[in-house]
Amino acid sequence: MEGSLAKFVLSQMKTELLQDNHKFTYRRKQVKGTKIYWMCSQKKAKKCYARATTEVKDGVQRIVSILGPHTHSSELMRKKVKEVEKEAIQNAARNPTLSTRVVLAEVATKLQTDSMAVDTSSSKSDTLSKAMFNGRKEHWT
Ligand SMILES: [Zn+2]
Protein backbone atom coordinates (compact mmCIF):
# COMPACT_ATOMS: atom_id res chain seq x y z
CA MET A 1 0.00 0.00 0.00
CA GLU A 2 3.03 2.25 0.12
CA GLY A 3 2.87 4.86 -2.59
CA SER A 4 -0.89 4.77 -2.76
CA LEU A 5 -2.89 7.97 -2.60
CA ALA A 6 -3.77 9.09 0.89
CA LYS A 7 -7.45 8.80 1.66
CA PHE A 8 -9.22 10.56 4.46
CA VAL A 9 -12.30 10.03 6.56
CA LEU A 10 -13.91 12.18 9.23
CA SER A 11 -13.82 10.97 12.81
CA GLN A 12 -16.75 11.28 15.19
CA MET A 13 -15.03 14.39 16.50
CA LYS A 14 -15.07 15.75 12.93
CA THR A 15 -11.31 15.67 12.64
CA GLU A 16 -9.67 14.39 9.49
CA LEU A 17 -8.21 10.88 9.76
CA LEU A 18 -5.91 9.16 7.31
CA GLN A 19 -7.31 5.82 6.13
CA ASP A 20 -5.14 3.06 4.65
CA ASN A 21 -6.17 0.23 2.32
CA HIS A 22 -7.12 -2.01 5.24
CA LYS A 23 -9.33 0.77 6.60
CA PHE A 24 -7.14 1.46 9.57
CA THR A 25 -7.37 5.12 10.50
CA TYR A 26 -4.64 7.45 11.74
CA ARG A 27 -4.62 10.76 13.56
CA ARG A 28 -2.29 13.52 12.39
CA LYS A 29 0.62 13.96 14.76
CA GLN A 30 3.24 16.14 13.18
CA VAL A 31 4.12 17.95 9.97
CA LYS A 32 7.78 18.17 8.95
CA GLY A 33 8.42 19.82 5.61
CA THR A 34 6.56 17.80 3.00
CA LYS A 35 6.12 14.84 5.34
CA ILE A 36 3.20 14.25 7.66
CA TYR A 37 3.39 11.77 10.53
CA TRP A 38 0.32 9.89 11.71
CA MET A 39 -0.49 7.73 14.75
CA CYS A 40 -3.09 4.98 14.79
CA SER A 41 -6.45 6.40 15.87
CA GLN A 42 -6.80 3.46 18.28
CA LYS A 43 -3.56 4.31 20.07
CA LYS A 44 -5.20 5.02 23.42
CA ALA A 45 -8.13 2.61 23.14
CA LYS A 46 -6.07 -0.38 21.96
CA LYS A 47 -2.56 0.62 23.05
CA CYS A 48 -1.67 0.49 19.36
CA TYR A 49 1.59 2.05 18.24
CA ALA A 50 1.19 1.59 14.49
CA ARG A 51 2.24 4.67 12.54
CA ALA A 52 2.00 6.03 9.03
CA THR A 53 3.89 8.65 7.06
CA THR A 54 2.53 10.55 4.10
CA GLU A 55 4.27 12.95 1.78
CA VAL A 56 2.89 15.80 -0.26
CA LYS A 57 4.42 16.08 -3.72
CA ASP A 58 3.05 18.32 -6.44
CA GLY A 59 -0.04 18.86 -4.33
CA VAL A 60 -0.71 15.11 -4.07
CA GLN A 61 -0.52 13.32 -0.74
CA ARG A 62 0.67 9.73 -0.81
CA ILE A 63 1.30 7.12 1.87
CA VAL A 64 5.06 6.54 1.95
CA SER A 65 5.23 4.12 4.87
CA ILE A 66 3.10 2.20 7.32
CA LEU A 67 4.73 0.83 10.44
CA GLY A 68 2.73 -1.85 12.20
CA PRO A 69 1.55 -4.12 13.40
CA HIS A 70 -1.79 -2.97 14.72
CA THR A 71 -2.97 -4.53 17.96
CA HIS A 72 -6.57 -4.69 16.76
CA SER A 73 -8.71 -5.44 13.71
CA SER A 74 -9.68 -2.86 11.13
CA GLU A 75 -13.19 -2.33 9.84
CA LEU A 76 -12.28 -4.28 6.72
CA MET A 77 -10.99 -7.23 8.75
CA ARG A 78 -14.08 -7.35 10.91
CA LYS A 79 -16.17 -7.52 7.76
CA LYS A 80 -13.97 -10.26 6.35
CA VAL A 81 -14.07 -12.22 9.61
CA LYS A 82 -17.86 -12.07 9.61
CA GLU A 83 -18.00 -13.29 6.01
CA VAL A 84 -15.65 -16.20 6.64
CA GLU A 85 -17.49 -17.16 9.83
CA LYS A 86 -20.87 -17.05 8.13
CA GLU A 87 -19.56 -19.31 5.39
CA ALA A 88 -18.12 -21.73 7.97
CA ILE A 89 -21.43 -21.86 9.87
CA GLN A 90 -23.35 -22.63 6.68
CA ASN A 91 -20.78 -25.23 5.71
CA ALA A 92 -20.98 -26.84 9.14
CA ALA A 93 -24.77 -26.96 8.93
CA ARG A 94 -24.56 -28.87 5.65
CA ASN A 95 -21.80 -31.23 6.85
CA PRO A 96 -22.75 -32.65 10.24
CA THR A 97 -19.68 -34.91 10.36
CA LEU A 98 -17.30 -31.95 10.38
CA SER A 99 -16.02 -31.35 13.88
CA THR A 100 -16.17 -27.88 15.36
CA ARG A 101 -12.41 -27.92 15.76
CA VAL A 102 -11.84 -28.59 12.07
CA VAL A 103 -14.17 -25.78 11.07
CA LEU A 104 -12.53 -23.36 13.49
CA ALA A 105 -9.10 -24.29 12.15
CA GLU A 106 -10.36 -23.68 8.62
CA VAL A 107 -11.64 -20.26 9.58
CA ALA A 108 -8.29 -19.40 11.16
CA THR A 109 -6.40 -20.57 8.06
CA LYS A 110 -8.62 -18.63 5.71
CA LEU A 111 -8.14 -15.45 7.69
CA GLN A 112 -4.39 -15.96 7.91
CA THR A 113 -3.94 -16.37 4.18
CA ASP A 114 -5.34 -12.91 3.75
CA SER A 115 -2.23 -11.79 5.64
CA MET A 116 -4.29 -9.94 8.16
CA ALA A 117 -3.55 -9.90 11.82
CA VAL A 118 -6.89 -10.91 13.20
CA ASP A 119 -7.57 -11.09 16.89
CA THR A 120 -9.29 -14.43 17.28
CA SER A 121 -9.85 -14.72 20.99
CA SER A 122 -11.12 -17.89 22.63
CA SER A 123 -14.38 -16.20 23.52
CA LYS A 124 -14.91 -15.63 19.84
CA SER A 125 -14.35 -19.30 19.08
CA ASP A 126 -17.04 -20.06 21.64
CA THR A 127 -19.43 -17.74 19.87
CA LEU A 128 -18.65 -19.39 16.58
CA SER A 129 -19.08 -22.89 18.00
CA LYS A 130 -22.48 -21.93 19.36
CA ALA A 131 -23.49 -20.42 16.04
CA MET A 132 -22.42 -23.62 14.28
CA PHE A 133 -24.38 -25.72 16.74
CA ASN A 134 -27.50 -23.62 16.26
CA GLY A 135 -27.05 -23.63 12.50
CA ARG A 136 -26.97 -27.42 12.52
CA LYS A 137 -30.03 -27.69 14.70
CA GLU A 138 -31.95 -25.50 12.29
CA HIS A 139 -30.71 -27.44 9.33
CA TRP A 140 -31.31 -30.96 10.61
CA THR A 141 -34.41 -30.72 12.76
ZN1 LIG B 1 -3.81 0.47 15.24
Side-chain angles (χ1 to χ4, degrees):
M1 83 186 74
E2 272 96 16
S4 57
L5 279 179
K7 270 184 261 167
F8 302 95
V9 289
L10 275 184
S11 74
Q12 284 167 340
M13 309 295 287
K14 300 281 176 233
T15 54
E16 203 178 47
L17 300 174
L18 172 70
Q19 187 183 59
D20 71 16
N21 292 349
H22 292 298
K23 297 209 174 179
F24 281 116
T25 51
Y26 305 83
R27 214 177 290 286
R28 189 162 66 201
K29 191 82 183 161
Q30 205 180 8
V31 181
K32 263 190 196 171
T34 58
K35 285 193 172 165
I36 303 164
Y37 296 87
W38 306 77
M39 293 295 309
C40 178
S41 62
Q42 300 297 301
K43 187 190 172 192
K44 266 193 196 146
K46 303 282 183 185
K47 290 195 173 72
C48 181
Y49 292 92
R51 289 167 290 159
T53 311
T54 57
E55 188 167 25
V56 182
K57 250 187 206 165
D58 305 321
V60 180
Q61 193 173 162
R62 288 177 187 279
I63 296 173
V64 290
S65 75
I66 304 264
L67 288 172
H70 288 268
T71 60
H72 53 96
S73 304
S74 74
E75 199 188 307
L76 199 67
M77 286 180 197
R78 282 194 290 270
K79 234 172 112 184
K80 178 78 189 171
V81 170
K82 263 190 203 147
E83 271 170 30
V84 171
E85 283 181 355
K86 200 177 145 197
E87 211 177 282
I89 290 162
Q90 285 168 352
N91 189 34
R94 283 191 298 264
N95 301 286
T97 51
L98 272 183
S99 78
T100 310
R101 197 179 299 167
V102 168
V103 176
L104 285 175
E106 249 169 40
V107 169
T109 312
K110 260 191 193 157
L111 293 173
Q112 264 165 21
T113 49
D114 286 320
S115 68
M116 291 182 180
V118 179
D119 31 89
T120 41
S121 58
S122 54
S123 65
K124 231 173 139 199
S125 298
D126 285 348
T127 314
L128 190 57
S129 305
K130 262 180 219 146
M132 274 169 53
F133 182 76
N134 290 333
R136 278 182 177 165
K137 256 195 354 203
E138 269 170 39
H139 197 81
W140 296 99
T141 54

